[in-house]
Amino acid sequence: MEANGFDPRLTQVLTQLEAIAGQMDRLVEQQKKQQELIDDLLLPVSKEVMASATARLDALEKKGYFAFGRELVKIGSRIVETYSTEDVRQLGEAVTSILDTVRALTQPEVLSVAGEMSGVLAQADTTKPLGLVGMVRATRDGDVQRGMAVMMELLKRVGKGAGALADKQGRSGTQKEKLAAALGPRKKNLGIERPAPKQLPAPACAAPAKPAPATTVIDGISFTADGHLADSAQWTKTLAETLSATQGVTLTDAHWVVIDFARKDFAETKASPNIRRITQGAGVSTKDLYSLFPKAPGRTIAKIAGLPKPAGCL
Amino acid sequence: MANIAEQPRKVAIICSHGGLDEAYPALILANAARQADIEAFVFFTFWGLDVVTEEKVDHLHVNMVGNASSPMPTMLMGLPGMEAFAGKKMTKQMAEIDLPGPREMLKILDESGAKLYACELAMRMFKREKKDLVPEVAEVITAGDFYDMAEGAQIIFT
């Protein structure tokens, strides 16, 4: 080595370089191989995989999985929007009881009863209508009796549950109030109470007075056969004074209150007011009315006020 | 009114039943008489006494049993409480057409100058006293008194 005049360290470097070159070659070779591998093997494989995956996804899409999934996501977001975490927590607490209920409902016995019931409903078109007597007769059947007992028990539970719910929602009250709330406004008690009508209703049994034929004409004013003014438009206050004299009545302010009311009421209802209507409308007692117009007050008032004879019994 | 007779017209009405439907004819007739300037008095006897008895006048019933005009079968009308129910229903219908109740009718009669009397014998039979009756009753009289008072009157029995 020395004779060649080369530095031995240089030789070392060369050797190492050679070794490195060899490694490089191998590396390159490997690289090539890898590239080839990728080219020859991986790419087609991955293409294959991708294609097949795509095809599968496509199939799933066709089957509607994704639409379903999208809807699920929508539902999820809707749930999140609608319910608070508190609600969800409560749901979690209730899960056991829900499951219990479901388990109880799916017991074979219960299911068979439900099946029976739906069977009955399916045959509903063949069942005969049942009247009151038929119902009473049906209660003699032992099964019907048991069924009724079960229904009663069911009703009781439902009622209890409803009551508890009402309490929970702060609508608690007396039994009566609860009932009233459930049934809606009750009809007023039938009976003796006679609510004072704020506004006078239409006359009790007054038929529209038939215009009696005018028979007598005095000073251009026509009167009917029973002594009433034929046309109430011909009435004047002066005429009232004259008419009252023929009835043996001297008009005072108290009389005028009554007469004015009678005129006003006639104008509104087109019927002569009877005594009851006058006492209610003019605020005069029956007793006072009889002392103001002692003889047949109803008719006398109508005569003086220039109105037809009052109809009706009161 | 035209003068039919010299003396004023007069009616004597005997009310012998205590049903709501049986009391009204007597009360209405008496009231109509007063409105037509006819003197009127009503004699309440037997069950009719209920109409002027303080505790009963507001609770007069209607007995539909045997009433051919009843809207319900007679069999049903015999059920307990039916006459009270019918009475209330009738009271309601009367209130609807603004017909005064029995007590108010008695007051109107009294104010219009009709006289109301109770039968002495019936009072003893039902063990009632004058203080048990409504204040509108003027007097407790006997059947003989009735005839004295009814002299010259038309008599109506209801």
Side-chain angles (χ1 to χ4, degrees):
Chain A
M1 297 273 231
E2 285 274 329
N4 290 341
F6 289 120
D7 189 337
R9 282 183 302 174
L10 194 65
T11 322
Q12 260 181 4
V13 170
L14 275 173
T15 324
Q16 280 180 355
L17 264 177
E18 217 168 350
I20 287 169
Q23 281 177 351
M24 278 294 283
D25 270 354
R26 272 204 302 280
L27 260 175
V28 169
E29 195 62 29
Q30 277 178 1
Q31 193 93 19
K32 258 188 195 159
K33 277 183 184 161
Q34 273 178 359
Q35 189 59 45
E36 277 166 14
L37 189 71
I38 288 168
D39 285 349
D40 296 349
L41 193 69
L42 280 180
L43 273 182
V45 167
S46 68
K47 263 183 199 156
E48 193 69 26
V49 167
M50 277 302 285
S52 110
T54 317
R56 205 168 290 169
L57 287 173
D58 192 45
L60 287 178
E61 167 76 75
K62 275 187 188 141
K63 278 187 189 167
Y65 275 90
F66 291 114
F68 184 73
R70 279 195 294 275
E71 287 305 315
L72 264 184
V73 172
K74 272 190 209 162
I75 290 173
S77 64
R78 209 174 300 158
I79 289 172
V80 170
E81 280 164 18
T82 319
Y83 295 96
S84 66
T85 46
E86 177 66 11
D87 291 326
V88 177
R89 195 181 57 75
Q90 282 179 353
L91 184 68
E93 282 169 7
V95 158
T96 27
S97 66
I98 290 172
L99 287 179
D100 280 350
T101 312
V102 170
R103 194 172 53 197
L105 280 177
T106 49
Q107 290 299 302
E109 297 85 6
V110 180
L111 282 180
S112 83
V113 170
E116 288 276 317
M117 278 165 74
S118 53
V120 169
L121 283 180
Q123 294 164 9
D125 51 340
T126 58
T127 50
K128 285 183 195 151
L130 202 59
L132 196 65
V133 178
M135 249 167 71
V136 173
R137 195 174 295 146
T139 55
R140 294 210 314 241
D141 187 286
D143 287 339
V144 172
Q145 286 175 357
R146 257 193 303 280
M148 271 161 59
V150 171
M151 281 297 183
M152 283 302 147
E153 191 59 30
L154 199 66
L155 268 181
K156 211 191 273 180
R157 302 273 174 92
V158 169
K160 203 182 267 179
L165 197 67
D167 284 346
K168 202 174 161 190
Q169 291 173 349
R171 278 195 283 110
S172 59
T174 64
Q175 193 94 12
K176 218 171 172 183
E177 282 166 355
K178 273 186 213 162
L179 205 65
L183 294 179
R186 255 175 81 103
K187 267 194 189 169
K188 222 176 93 60
N189 271 349
L190 308 178
I192 315 302
E193 260 182 84
R194 296 173 49 80
K198 276 194 194 89
Q199 206 145 25
L200 282 180
C205 45
K210 281 176 242 123
T215 50
T216 325
V217 179
I218 304 166
D219 296 338
I221 296 161
S222 28
F223 289 87
T224 62
D226 47 16
H228 291 262
L229 218 60
D231 180 8
S232 69
Q234 287 186 317
W235 181 87
T236 58
K237 290 209 167 194
T238 333
L239 183 63
E241 301 277 2
T242 321
L243 289 171
S244 64
T246 66
Q247 297 297 315
V249 176
T250 313
L251 293 183
T252 64
D253 288 349
H255 291 91
W256 276 111
V257 170
V258 175
I259 292 166
D260 286 343
F261 170 77
R263 295 279 310 172
K264 185 168 79 74
D265 195 56
F266 180 79
E268 284 164 10
T269 65
K270 303 288 166 225
S272 292
N274 57 33
I275 293 179
R276 183 167 161 74
R277 207 172 159 77
I278 292 171
T279 53
Q280 288 182 336
V284 184
S285 75
T286 311
K287 201 169 186 169
D288 290 345
L289 209 59
Y290 273 91
S291 60
L292 288 172
F293 304 93
K295 291 189 173 186
R299 290 181 199 174
T300 311
I301 292 163
K303 276 182 190 172
I304 297 175
L307 309 175
K309 192 163 128 185
C313 306
L314 287 167
Chain B
M1 283 307 299
N3 293 326
I4 293 168
E6 297 298 311
Q7 68 246 66
R9 279 184 78 187
K10 195 172 168 186
V11 289
I13 298 165
I14 303 165
C15 179
S16 67
H17 290 104
L20 187 61
D21 51 331
E22 294 155 321
Y24 264 99
L27 301 177
I28 298 271
L29 282 174
N31 187 46
R34 285 309 299 140
Q35 291 193 353
D37 194 27
I38 299 171
E39 246 184 74
F41 75 92
V42 190
F43 183 58
F44 294 94
T45 182
F46 237 88
W47 303 111
L49 213 53
D50 281 359
V51 180
V52 285
T53 300
E54 191 70 54
E55 280 183 9
K56 305 245 180 184
V57 60
D58 290 329
H59 311 286
L60 297 181
H61 293 168
V62 178
N63 186 4
M64 287 294 194
V65 173
N67 182 349
S69 300
S70 161
M72 274 200 252
T74 296
M75 205 179 95
L76 283 185
M77 291 313 301
L79 294 175
M82 266 303 180
E83 72 277 24
F85 170 75
K88 286 199 168 178
K89 193 136 174 55
M90 189 171 278
T91 305
K92 191 173 165 251
Q93 284 169 349
M94 285 167 168
E96 268 170 19
I97 63 159
D98 200 29
L99 192 65
R103 187 185 282 276
E104 201 182 342
M105 281 298 293
L106 292 173
K107 187 163 174 280
I108 289 173
L109 280 180
D110 182 49
E111 290 191 356
S112 66
K115 289 278 185 292
L116 310 180
Y117 299 105
C119 171
E120 191 264 347
L121 183 66
M123 292 282 281
R124 272 198 285 142
M125 207 187 121
F126 289 113
K127 297 191 172 49
R128 283 178 202 164
E129 293 174 37
K130 178 77 172 66
K131 68 176 168 57
D132 298 328
L133 305 181
V134 297
E136 284 84 7
V137 175
E139 228 180 303
V140 178
I141 61 169
T142 64
D145 295 334
F146 169 79
Y147 273 119
D148 289 344
M149 288 175 177
E151 196 182 343
Q154 291 164 302
I155 296 178
I156 302 170
F157 185 89
T158 68

